[in-house]
Amino acid sequence: MSLPGNANRDNFGSKFGILAAAAGSAVGLGNVWKFPYVTGQNGGGAFLLIYLACVLLLGVSVMLSEFSIGRRGQRNVFGSFKSLAPNTPWYFAGIMGVVAAFVILSFYSAVAGWTLEYIVHSVDGSFHSGEPLSNAFNNFITHPVRPILWQLVFMALTALIVVGGVKNGIEKYNKILMPLLVIFLLILCVRAITLPNSVEGLKFLFTPDFSKITAKTVLFAMGQAFFSLSLGMGALITYSSYFKKTENLGITAINVSIADTVIAVLSGVVIFPAVFAFHIEPSAGPSLVFITLPEIFRQMPLGSIFGFIFFALLAVAALTSTVSLLEVVVAYFSEEFKITRKKSIIITIIFASILGVFASLSFGPLSSVLIFKKSIFDLLDFVASNVLLPLGGLLIVIFVGWYMTKRDVRDEVSNGGTLNVPFFPYFRFIVRFIAPVAIAAIFIYSIFYGSLG
Ligand code: PHE
């Protein structure tokens, strides 16, 4: 039998709320900012194909593992490991998740803050001022105050949502923001596809050139899939601890993975036709959406409106992700140290903002501070994305594949035997054999080669 739910805990109220919140966590800067530029740098269609394979083969199973731990554990990420594996050091995996969430929140909010500045720029005419857009971008991110102010605004918005709790905060806002995000994205897709020469962009994204596939492409794709699906650090463990015992975990994992992937691909459909229509290089890298796209909005009729919609889309995507990051830390503090959620939110926000300010300043005044040859921002990103997430993911699949009994995992995935789970043997095989090897490969590679982008 599955363990009884904890009646004192807040829970998600509806299926749609669960989907919106979990997809909200997954869909973020990783989809709209990182996916297009990583795809652009790695050969377009070939990368997309490998990426899809990674999501399908690994992503869905790792996500289902996280859901199984969270819903069975019924506590925050640390507490869930503790309740499923008492008197063992497995809780260490949970602590790592909390640390990863905290670190990601601190640097992710810096880039998230940029989106707010760019929402303002798209309507105040700055894109049309004649100043080269790369200068504008560099002047902004190296400014000692402006990016920090936006970062703090972004933190505050995140806190305002999380303070409402699971049902009246996280669920409520995701149910509004996620449909809004889809509407913004569809408007932009129609605009992009109807641009002259859009076919070139679509060809770049959808025609695989197999000669471009190398071991590096595969590892990049896997790293990107993990980050994009919010795997490896307990965001989905925390959220699923609030799922109903009747929720179908397998279907939810599939739906969230599909939503995340479709939104990443549609972001590519927005960006590449625009890039090709205006004869710009698709491999611009991280500046693709902050320099290249504004250039396009500058040249496009009604560009201010489309610019506004694009950066609002980016901000919404980032916000629903920072909400899930903050919740990981807040659930941990409030449940394990028995302090109120409000207090834990305030404490977390203060400390994440302090670290975040250093991350932000490392683009400007602190750019000469290098630790292991990396700026503070890059170091935080590296530690979280290249060390903590893969290690967390590895521990999660080993936990579900090897520590938990087959009976318990099946019991959780099938809701105590009430659901048909024909995929179970396949899932278990991946979690026991394929995923640990693949994740260990990403991990080792990314340690040796620095950054997975
Ligand atoms: N998945 C988010 C994105 O694609 C980032 C994220 C990672 C959010 C891990 C929560 C946890 O932007």
Side-chain angles (χ1 to χ4, degrees):
M1 265 318 284
S2 33
L3 303 171
N6 182 343
N8 297 325
R9 281 177 106 235
D10 202 358
N11 266 298
F12 284 109
S14 67
K15 269 193 174 355
F16 177 63
I18 286 179
L19 183 64
S25 171
V27 174
L29 296 172
N31 304 61
V32 191
W33 172 56
K34 221 169 178 183
F35 176 79
Y37 86 70
V38 178
T39 306
Q41 288 176 324
N42 287 280
F47 180 83
L48 176 62
L49 199 70
I50 306 283
Y51 180 80
L52 293 178
C54 291
V55 172
L56 208 71
L57 263 173
L58 289 172
V60 180
S61 296
V62 179
M63 194 181 288
L64 183 52
S65 304
E66 294 208 15
F67 286 168
S68 309
I69 296 173
R71 198 183 56 178
R72 203 167 182 80
Q74 289 288 306
R75 276 160 74 183
N76 62 84
V77 54
F78 166 89
S80 285
F81 275 105
K82 246 192 143 141
S83 81
L84 295 182
N87 307 318
T88 69
W90 273 105
Y91 64 85
F92 182 72
I95 293 183
M96 242 173 52
V98 175
V99 173
F102 177 82
V103 171
I104 298 177
L105 179 62
S106 67
F107 74 81
Y108 195 90
S109 58
V111 180
W114 299 351
T115 67
L116 300 180
E117 165 98 358
Y118 271 73
I119 291 178
V120 175
H121 279 336
S122 48
V123 288
D124 73 1
S126 343
F127 292 166
H128 298 88
S129 69
E131 185 190 13
L133 290 162
S134 51
N135 286 4
F137 180 63
N138 286 327
N139 288 343
F140 167 60
I141 63 169
T142 53
H143 194 276
V145 183
R146 257 167 47 215
I148 292 175
L149 290 179
W150 284 124
Q151 181 177 23
L152 297 180
V153 170
F154 209 92
M155 283 281 193
L157 288 173
T158 308
L160 282 177
I161 293 180
V162 175
V163 84
V166 176
K167 198 178 284 143
N168 294 322
I170 297 173
E171 178 170 2
K172 185 169 127 193
Y173 286 99
N174 270 298
K175 274 169 42 180
I176 303 168
L177 292 173
M178 289 310 285
L180 190 67
L181 179 145
V182 172
I183 294 170
F184 284 169
L185 192 59
L186 292 179
I187 295 174
L188 292 168
C189 276
V190 172
R191 171 66 278 206
I193 293 175
T194 51
L195 284 170
N197 224 3
S198 67
V199 178
E200 285 309 305
L202 297 177
K203 265 196 200 146
F204 174 77
L205 182 59
F206 292 115
T207 318
D209 172 356
F210 291 98
S211 67
K212 293 245 167 74
I213 298 179
T214 60
K216 209 170 128 190
T217 326
V218 178
L219 292 165
F220 261 58
M222 228 168 357
Q224 171 64 17
F226 265 65
F227 185 80
S228 186
L229 295 168
S230 295
L231 299 175
M233 45 71 67
L236 297 180
I237 293 182
T238 307
Y239 271 7
S240 58
S241 72
Y242 307 122
F243 287 4
K244 290 202 172 82
K245 284 285 179 189
T246 49
E247 186 70 18
N248 187 329
L249 298 183
I251 299 283
T252 309
I254 291 171
N255 286 341
V256 173
S257 304
I258 292 176
D260 187 69
T261 308
V262 167
I263 288 179
V265 172
L266 289 182
S267 301
V269 168
V270 168
I271 287 165
F272 292 116
V275 165
F276 279 84
F278 293 94
H279 308 290
I280 288 170
E281 265 304 300
S283 57
S287 62
L288 191 64
V289 311
F290 290 103
I291 298 176
T292 309
L293 274 192
E295 182 62 49
I296 292 165
F297 295 132
R298 172 192 276 188
Q299 297 176 31
M300 181 189 269
L302 299 182
S304 302
I305 296 177
F306 290 110
F308 174 82
I309 296 178
F310 179 79
F311 287 107
L313 162 78
L314 208 54
V316 167
L319 184 60
T320 51
S321 296
T322 50
V323 162
S324 73
L325 291 164
L326 179 58
E327 179 60 26
V328 171
V329 188
V330 166
Y332 168 67
F333 278 125
S334 60
E335 288 179 7
E336 301 303 323
F337 298 94
K338 308 278 179 279
I339 52 174
T340 62
R341 280 180 63 88
K342 222 186 199 150
K343 250 193 213 143
S344 24
I345 290 172
I346 294 172
I347 296 172
T348 312
I349 283 292
I350 290 177
F351 284 100
S353 297
I354 294 174
L355 188 60
V357 164
F358 284 100
S360 227
L361 289 177
S362 72
F363 290 100
L366 297 183
S367 61
S368 56
V369 178
L370 298 182
I371 306 166
F372 300 121
K373 294 203 196 121
K374 288 181 191 298
S375 71
I376 299 170
F377 183 97
D378 287 343
L379 182 74
L380 293 175
D381 184 10
F382 179 79
V383 168
S385 314
N386 300 42
V387 182
L388 296 174
L389 293 192
L391 209 56
L394 188 61
L395 292 177
I396 285 163
V397 289
I398 294 176
F399 188 78
V400 172
W402 298 92
Y403 180 83
M404 283 175 79
T405 64
K406 183 175 173 185
R407 235 181 86 213
D408 282 356
V409 180
R410 183 186 260 281
D411 179 68
E412 196 56 41
V413 171
S414 67
N415 294 353
T418 57
L419 292 176
N420 236 339
V421 284
F423 58 83
F424 189 78
Y426 164 82
F427 161 65
R428 192 163 154 79
F429 181 76
I430 291 190
V431 167
R432 277 168 79 84
F433 301 104
I434 312 269
V437 174
I439 299 170
I442 317 182
F443 181 53
I444 293 166
Y445 181 89
S446 68
I447 292 293
F448 282 115
Y449 289 88
S451 169
L452 282 178

